[in-house]
Amino acid sequence: MAVHITGDAAADTLLTENPLALLIGMLLDQQIAMETAFTGPLKIEQRTGSMDAAAIAAYDPDALASVFKETPAVHRFPGSMAARVQSLCQALVDDWGGDAAALWTEGDPDGATVLKRLKALPGFGEQKAKIFLALLGKQYGFTGEGWREASAPYGEDGSFRSVADITSPESLTKVREFKRAAKAAVKG
């Protein structure tokens, strides 16, 4: 399946072909626009020459922070997000042999198991893990039993709640409208 999140063909191709890129994009998806977050992995790959967990984990931390600060910046908080990406990659090396896809493929896991694995990663709380699980199920071909229930409410069919639902410019607009309405209701 092809992912269409950013509107940038090269970035979306990397997200589709490289599970680590998709995972890093999700990690970066906070306090910046979704499409900016998910173009981050392409910037990282272009600037470091790699989108490999072991290579990023071993990268000099100060040099990686500099990579994140280059214009256009990978994230509005380049130093802290560079450290988070490096921590994520180190956890993948330590626990999953550097293979991000193993989180959802190793041992033919069900949705609840993948959710638990995601929540164990640095930078992945309950909500981010559920959104990523929904993204795997809706756009990345993950079919583990119970993934919709484990990712609820983000796994709901036909919803426009999160990045998991972005497949076109029109769906991006619907997700943005949903988020605006949700924020307005909280401020209410």
Side-chain angles (χ1 to χ4, degrees), residues 5-69:
I5 296 172
T6 68
D8 177 304
D12 284 341
T13 297
L14 180 62
L15 296 171
T16 299
E17 295 175 355
N18 188 313
L20 176 62
L22 191 67
L23 194 64
I24 288 174
M26 188 73 233
L27 179 68
L28 295 172
D29 187 16
Q30 60 187 54
Q31 299 183 340
I32 60 173
M34 290 174 282
E35 57 273 38
T36 302
F38 282 88
T39 58
L42 181 63
K43 292 173 191 164
I44 296 166
E45 182 185 59
Q46 290 171 336
R47 296 171 187 177
T48 66
S50 180
M51 184 45 58
D52 173 78
I56 294 170
Y59 213 85
D60 176 81
D62 293 332
L64 189 61
S66 293
V67 161
F68 272 60
K69 290 175 186 172

Side-chain angles (χ1 to χ4, degrees), residues 151-167:
S151 65
Y154 303 99
E156 182 181 291
D157 195 26
S159 69
F160 293 97
R161 296 179 182 275
S162 72
V163 69
D165 303 305
I166 299 172
T167 57

Side-chain angles (χ1 to χ4, degrees), residues 38-158:
F38 282 88
T39 58
L42 181 63
K43 292 173 191 164
I44 296 166
E45 182 185 59
Q46 290 171 336
R47 296 171 187 177
T48 66
S50 180
M51 184 45 58
D52 173 78
I56 294 170
Y59 213 85
D60 176 81
D62 293 332
L64 189 61
S66 293
V67 161
F68 272 60
K69 290 175 186 172
E70 287 178 32
T71 305
V74 172
H75 197 277
R76 70 187 280 199
F77 301 110
S80 62
M81 292 311 285
R84 282 191 183 178
V85 167
Q86 200 158 35
S87 293
L88 172 67
C89 289
Q90 188 62 59
L92 290 171
V93 169
D94 292 346
D95 301 333
W96 299 99
D99 181 9
L103 291 162
W104 58 90
T105 60
E106 190 172 290
D108 194 28
D110 62 10
T113 300
V114 173
L115 181 64
K116 182 178 176 185
R117 291 173 178 181
L118 290 168
K119 287 171 34 179
L121 295 172
F124 277 75
E126 180 88 15
Q127 183 177 10
K128 190 176 288 278
K130 285 184 172 194
I131 292 169
F132 191 76
L133 177 56
L135 178 60
L136 292 174
K138 289 181 173 184
Q139 295 194 47
Y140 221 68
F142 176 69
T143 59
E145 186 176 329
W147 74 264
R148 283 193 191 274
E149 295 79 6
S151 65
Y154 303 99
E156 182 181 291
D157 195 26

